[in-house]
Each structure stands twice: as C-alpha cells, then as structure tokens.
Amino acid sequence: MKNPRILSHFQESAELKMISAELLADPIEQAIELMFTALSNGNKILACGNGGSAADCQHFAAELVGRFERERLPLPALALTTDTSIMTAIANDYSFQEVFAKQVQAFGQAGDILLAITTSGNSVSVLNAVNAALERDMRVIALTGKGGGEMRSCLTDADVHICVPHDRTARIQEVHLLTIHCMCDGIDAALFGGDTDE
C-alpha cells in the first residue's frame, strides 16, 4: 500500500497547479512581456528572496545566464543572494533588512527588472528591495502567496504580481518554480519564436 501522506502531497500540489494555471496565466504572460522588453532594450534582471526563495532566484538566474531548453547567447540576470561578502557586510554594518536594497541601489538602473520572491509577501528585506527598485525607475515582478501580504501595497500598476492562491509555503514554492520555468520558456519563445528543436 502506498504511503497516504506522500500521496496527499502529490495530490495537493497537482490540484493547486491546475487552479493556479487558470488564475496566474495572464500575470505570468505579463511578466514574460515585461522581461522580454527589458532584455531587448539591453537591460537586466535582478532577483532576490530568502531561504527557498533565494534558491529560486539563483535557479532563475542560472537558466538565463546559461540556458533553459535551447542554445542561445547568455541573458543578463543576477541573483542578489550569492555574494556572501556583500551580504554579510551589509547585514553587519546596517541590517539584514538592507541586504538586497543596497545591491539594487548599486546594480539597478532604470528599465531593469527586479524579480522579488517572498512566499508570504511580508519579507522586509525583499520589500525594501522593491522600494529601492521603484525609486530607480525599475519594474518589479513579485512572486508571492498567502494573499500577497505587504507586497500588494508596494507595487505600482506598471508592475506584475503573481500571487499563488495557497497558504502552505511548500505548495507556494512548487508553483513559484513552475512559474519560473514558464517565464524562462516564454522569454526564449519571445526571443526566438516557436518550439525548441530538441
């Protein structure tokens, strides 16, 4: 007999993904268009998040700088979660709440995109990065869950909010990863058209 606890994880994840497909397809498409436009204009994408969301940032940046499913030139994306000297210096000299905002101030330029990932929508370090990005005339794509939290009041009409309709962090993260893959595929399709040859 199969373990019912394991089966329940798969069932809940699958059900949420189908619900999310209906609710999030439009904002994901908007995010792809925003990213494609920025990249086409010579801008870059910065990404930030904590914990599992930090891993998602790095995953996203790796797919753009390396490749997703087809060979192409590298695309400029930078995870703000990887330089331990920068992060620990800022956390020590200021506070951890500034570790992403100061990097946005250093690296972000008008027309760039900030991919801000927080499952609760309430991560102060991520919210501070969003505010820093908006001050620099960057656009924001926010991946959240749990109703969106404080992130909802931070974003402008020019930004994109992709809020997973669930309260369980693990399920939200699973949909965030799928969303990241959709965005990477959408960027490649916008750049090259059609499907992969593989």
Side-chain angles (χ1 to χ4, degrees):
M1 174 180 257
K2 293 183 172 61
N3 186 317
R5 190 175 186 90
I6 293 171
L7 292 176
S8 71
H9 280 285
F10 276 86
Q11 182 176 3
E12 187 177 64
S13 183
E15 289 172 354
L16 176 60
K17 285 173 181 171
M18 294 310 299
I19 293 168
S20 297
E22 293 294 324
L23 295 175
L24 303 182
D26 286 344
I28 292 172
E29 185 175 4
Q30 293 167 15
I32 291 166
E33 291 173 4
L34 206 59
M35 289 180 171
F36 170 69
T37 299
L39 293 168
S40 297
N41 289 333
N43 290 104
K44 61 188 173 296
I45 302 171
L46 307 179
C48 67
N50 297 294
S53 297
D56 286 341
C57 292
Q58 292 161 216
H59 186 147
F60 173 79
E63 303 282 26
L64 263 63
V65 175
R67 67 172 180 184
F68 180 57
E69 291 183 331
R70 66 176 80 187
E71 291 297 334
R72 54 158 165 73
L73 291 173
L75 299 173
L78 178 66
L80 304 180
T81 54
T82 59
D83 192 319
T84 54
S85 294
I86 288 176
M87 292 187 67
T88 54
I90 295 169
N92 184 65
D93 296 346
Y94 301 93
S95 76
F96 187 84
Q97 296 176 355
E98 299 299 318
V99 294
F100 302 134
K102 287 198 174 291
Q103 292 186 77
V104 169
Q105 291 167 346
F107 304 126
Q109 297 178 335
D112 288 347
I113 303 291
L114 177 67
L115 177 62
I117 309 178
T118 161
T119 56
S120 68
N122 293 321
S123 172
V124 177
S125 61
V126 176
L127 294 171
N128 287 345
V130 168
N131 290 328
L134 295 176
E135 288 172 1
R136 299 187 72 78
D137 200 24
M138 296 169 60
R139 297 281 62 83
V140 176
I141 296 167
L143 300 187
T144 69
K146 303 182 183 182
E150 294 297 319
M151 185 67 74
R152 289 173 302 174
S153 60
C154 288
L155 301 175
T156 72
D157 291 339
D159 303 314
V160 178
H161 188 189
I162 301 169
C163 182
V164 179
H166 209 274
D167 290 329
R168 192 171 182 181
T169 298
R171 298 291 89 88
I172 296 166
Q173 289 173 329
E174 288 158 7
V175 176
H176 281 180
L177 179 57
L178 180 55
T179 298
I180 285 168
H181 284 161
C182 288
M183 292 190 297
C184 292
D185 175 70
I187 290 168
D188 279 0
L191 285 170
F192 304 108
D195 297 322
T196 64
D197 296 329
E198 298 175 2

